[in-house]
Amino acid sequence: MSSVLVTGGAGFLGSHLCERLLKENKEVICVDNFFTGARRNVDQLLGDPSFRLLQHDITTPLNLEADEIYNLACPASPKHYQFDPVQTTKTNVLGAINVLDLARRLKIKVLQASTSEIYGDPHTHPQAEDYWGNVNPIGARSCYDEGKRCAETLFFDYVRQYRVPAKVVRIFNTYGPRMQPDDGRVVSNFIVQALCNQDITIYGDGGQTRSFCYVDDLIEALVRMMATPADVHGPVNIGNPVEITVRHLAELIIELTGSSSRLRFRPLPADDPRQRQPDIAKARALLGWAPSVGLRDGLARTIAYFEDLLRSDEHGVLRSLTPAQ
């Protein structure tokens, strides 16, 4: 049985990946410092003898044995990565060094979960992997944007200098069950507000666009990328190329929830991207991958998750949330 290390394994994406790997009869070592990850995300896995949970911060070196590494450790929503920006940068940079050093020692594949944020507020549309981006290096989002860019630099330097079989994927907006209700992401914000019949907060005029990929499709792409030959490094965009405005998303969620919520507009945050749409031609060619879950179907599954979460919220904590987009 092969062993797979998943850093950030108790997070939104990481927990789904751990679940998928266990279904493929892998032994999974889930590492998380629980800054944004949650034990409840992996509770259903704790009884599996092939699953091991370790509380650890990857800014400290790891001394483990594994056959593959997925590096998903980093806060991914503005609310969380801006809470402690210095730690966010450390997680991206020192964390990348530590997982790369471990992969180098063990001579194994390591996959970096990078982000569409490396493109910044893009001047090209849609965004292909050869676009270098338009990123503010000293803004409030830079700890994440530039941290992820530096991590990519390290991954490719380890490929060139040490011949580490490293791989990089750039993840575009992903949604689904186990998102945190107060994570500041647009899908979770809108769903919680709609289910609580609160005004839905839209920043700007709502004309900015995003492309939303359901979590199951994303995990399939990660597994396929890891399975590519050692000389396939990427970067590869992973996301749904179907573009939608933020306002349309809010209206669709109101429709699907039957909510009485109204739209409330507020000023656009600094450096918020106006457009986001992946060019996934490389993913189609290299991985034979394209998303299969439509937005309405994926939102319906995600809304059902949040409905269950709200029903179990005995003290009304979730209903008191007024999340920021």
Side-chain angles (χ1 to χ4, degrees):
M1 180 181 290
S2 61
S3 177
V4 183
L5 169 61
V6 181
T7 68
F12 163 48
L13 296 181
S15 62
H16 283 277
L17 177 60
C18 289
E19 204 166 47
R20 167 66 182 268
L21 294 171
L22 288 169
K23 288 178 181 177
E24 295 186 353
N25 296 316
K26 307 281 189 181
E27 183 180 79
V28 175
I29 306 167
C30 169
V31 168
D32 207 294
N33 68 353
F34 298 107
F35 175 63
T36 56
R39 290 181 185 273
R40 68 173 179 271
N41 288 338
V42 293
D43 274 347
Q44 74 282 9
L45 308 180
L46 293 175
D48 192 320
S50 298
F51 181 75
R52 180 181 171 196
L53 177 62
L54 296 177
Q55 184 168 351
H56 180 86
D57 191 314
I58 67 163
T59 60
T60 301
L62 299 119
N63 185 19
L64 297 167
E65 299 295 321
D67 300 302
E68 295 175 342
I69 304 171
Y70 290 84
N71 185 33
L72 276 64
C74 186
S77 71
K79 176 181 177 179
H80 290 144
Y81 65 64
Q82 291 175 11
F83 175 78
D84 189 344
V86 172
Q87 182 64 23
T88 296
T89 301
K90 286 180 178 180
T91 300
N92 280 316
V93 178
L94 297 179
I97 291 170
N98 288 332
V99 298
L100 285 162
D101 281 342
L102 180 60
R104 181 187 175 197
R105 177 175 70 82
L106 297 175
K107 298 180 173 58
I108 60 173
K109 294 178 182 178
V110 54
L111 184 148
Q112 167 71 358
S114 191
T115 172
S116 62
E117 295 300 318
I118 66 101
Y119 297 122
D121 190 4
H123 289 162
T124 67
H125 193 73
Q127 293 82 58
E129 292 87 350
D130 58 359
Y131 175 55
W132 290 358
N134 173 43
V135 177
N136 179 355
I138 58 171
R141 302 169 68 106
S142 304
C143 58
Y144 185 71
D145 302 357
E146 294 287 38
K148 287 287 191 179
R149 286 164 70 94
C150 185
E152 287 198 17
T153 299
L154 286 162
F155 265 69
F156 281 90
D157 282 341
Y158 270 69
V159 168
R160 288 183 286 261
Q161 188 168 342
Y162 301 124
R163 302 188 185 280
V164 172
K167 302 173 183 295
V168 174
V169 296
R170 293 174 177 165
I171 297 173
F172 284 67
N173 295 69
T174 307
Y175 70 100
R178 298 184 202 147
M179 297 182 80
Q180 291 192 17
D182 62 341
D183 64 5
R185 301 189 205 192
V186 64
V187 171
S188 49
N189 281 0
F190 287 0
I191 290 175
V192 170
Q193 289 173 328
L195 289 175
C196 296
N197 293 307
Q198 300 172 350
D199 288 347
I200 289 185
T201 308
I202 294 180
Y203 290 84
D205 63 4
Q208 65 269 40
T209 66
R210 297 293 184 267
S211 304
F212 296 101
C213 183
Y214 189 66
V215 62
D216 289 357
D217 285 331
L218 185 281
I219 298 304
E220 176 66 27
L222 296 185
V223 171
R224 291 192 186 199
M225 183 66 178
M226 183 64 87
T228 58
D231 61 351
V232 174
H233 308 297
V236 177
N237 287 339
I238 303 298
N240 194 322
V242 178
E243 192 177 12
I244 183 175
T245 68
V246 170
R247 178 166 186 153
H248 185 192
L249 174 70
E251 292 168 345
L252 179 57
I253 288 173
I254 289 172
E255 175 196 334
L256 292 173
T257 56
S259 175
S260 60
S261 296
R262 294 180 296 181
L263 305 184
R264 179 164 58 93
F265 297 87
R266 297 179 62 184
L268 195 66
D271 302 322
D272 191 63
R274 291 163 296 177
Q275 292 180 303
R276 185 68 85 230
Q277 182 189 21
D279 180 332
I280 64 167
K282 186 180 284 190
R284 293 180 189 274
L286 279 178
L287 311 179
W289 176 88
S292 62
V293 179
L295 184 60
R296 293 183 72 95
D297 185 15
L299 285 175
R301 301 182 201 180
T302 309
I303 288 166
Y305 168 79
F306 278 107
E307 285 175 331
D308 288 342
L309 209 59
L310 286 165
R311 275 194 291 269
S312 64
D313 184 33
E314 296 179 6
H315 303 291
V317 175
L318 298 184
R319 295 181 185 278
S320 68
L321 293 175
T322 53
Q325 182 181 320

